[in-house]
């Protein structure tokens, strides 16, 4: 009687082991890089298709609980001005600038937008935000007031455009422009 239980366990574990090996052969975990940064959770190749976490695609990700995932990421074009002149690189030091963002293809309602700057160390300073209210704005312009920013160190500063889906949600980065301080 005892040898039958042992034989049954051996067969069961053999079947489980082979199914795990088959599943591993069908899906392969891979490392994924986006804009020079590795995506923390990586991705998978399953039946020749690559899958990554939806939140890593950029934009606001919402799930309705019934299997529908929505990613909101409009086209955002930012232009940086020093007076009336467009610029991209700066010298280290204080500079009076303003940011103009042109947004189109925003197909979902959002509560607010903001512009922020991250220094080379990753410290983020909010520049200006605006609530959009309840009206849907598919295409619009957002301009900051002129402000003074201190480019203290050499390196890459990232001007980010953020959107907030609802009044109580967090801002999410949807676009960025790089300024190099020399």
């Amino acid at each position: 009687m005892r040898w039958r239980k042992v034989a049954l366990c051996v067969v069961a574990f053999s079947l489980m082991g082979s199914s795990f090996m088959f599943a591993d052969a069908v899906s392969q975990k891979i490392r994924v890089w986006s804009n020079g940064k590795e995506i923390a959770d990586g991705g998978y190749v399953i039946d020749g298709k690559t899958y990554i976490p939806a939140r890593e695609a950029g934009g606001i990700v919402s799930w309705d609980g019934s299997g529908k995932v929505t990613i909101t990421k409009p086209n955002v074009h930012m232009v940086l001005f020093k007076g009336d002149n467009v610029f991209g690189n700066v010298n280290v030091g204080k500079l009076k600038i303003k940011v103009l963002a042109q947004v189109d293809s925003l197909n979902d309602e959002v509560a607010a937008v903001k512009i922020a700057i991250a220094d080379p160390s990753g410290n983020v300073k909010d520049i200006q935000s605006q609530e959009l209210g309840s009206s849907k704005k598919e295409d619009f312009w957002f301009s900051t007031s002129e402000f003074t920013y201190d480019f203290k160190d050499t390196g890459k500063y990232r001007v980010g455009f953020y959107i907030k889906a609802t009044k109580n949600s967090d801002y999410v980065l949807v676009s960025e422009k790089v300024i190099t301080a020399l």
Side-chain angles (χ1 to χ4, degrees), residues 2-180:
R2 183 170 227 185
W3 64 272
R4 286 185 183 173
K5 287 181 182 178
V6 171
L8 183 62
C9 286
V10 168
V11 170
F13 285 124
S14 296
L15 290 174
M16 283 184 3
S18 64
S19 65
F20 286 136
M21 289 182 358
F22 175 74
D24 190 43
V26 172
S27 69
Q28 173 188 7
K29 184 146 176 73
I30 58 172
R31 294 173 66 190
V32 179
W33 292 78
S34 177
N35 292 331
K37 296 177 184 175
E38 187 172 10
I39 293 175
D41 294 333
Y44 291 92
V45 176
I46 301 172
D47 294 333
K49 294 180 185 176
T50 305
Y51 297 90
I52 63 170
R55 295 200 190 290
E56 300 296 339
I60 294 175
V61 177
S62 59
W63 182 54
D64 69 0
S66 69
K68 178 182 173 187
V69 174
T70 303
I71 300 174
T72 302
K73 185 173 182 182
N75 293 322
V76 179
H77 308 281
M78 289 187 285
V79 181
L80 309 168
F81 288 94
K82 178 175 58 173
D84 291 334
N85 298 319
V86 176
F87 74 96
N89 295 338
V90 297
N91 292 320
V92 172
K94 292 184 179 183
L95 187 64
K96 268 190 165 179
I97 63 175
K98 64 182 174 181
V99 180
L100 175 65
Q102 184 254 330
V103 180
D104 64 66
S105 303
L106 179 58
N107 298 320
D108 297 315
E109 288 185 26
V110 296
V113 296
K114 82 171 179 179
I115 301 282
I117 297 180
D119 68 17
S121 300
N123 301 315
V124 179
K125 179 182 180 188
D126 290 350
I127 302 302
Q128 190 170 328
S129 62
Q130 178 180 333
E131 291 190 17
L132 296 179
S134 61
S135 63
K136 182 180 178 187
K137 296 185 177 192
E138 185 175 333
D139 306 306
F140 63 93
W141 296 85
F142 176 67
S143 181
T144 65
S145 303
E146 190 172 58
F147 63 94
T148 301
Y149 187 80
D150 191 2
F151 295 92
K152 294 178 184 176
D153 302 309
T154 59
K156 298 198 180 295
Y157 290 75
R158 299 183 182 282
V159 178
F161 185 84
Y162 297 77
I163 57 178
K164 187 193 300 193
T166 64
K167 186 176 180 179
N168 297 325
S169 63
D170 294 329
Y171 280 101
V172 176
L173 178 68
V174 294
S175 183
E176 65 183 5
K177 185 79 142 177
V178 175
I179 301 171
T180 303

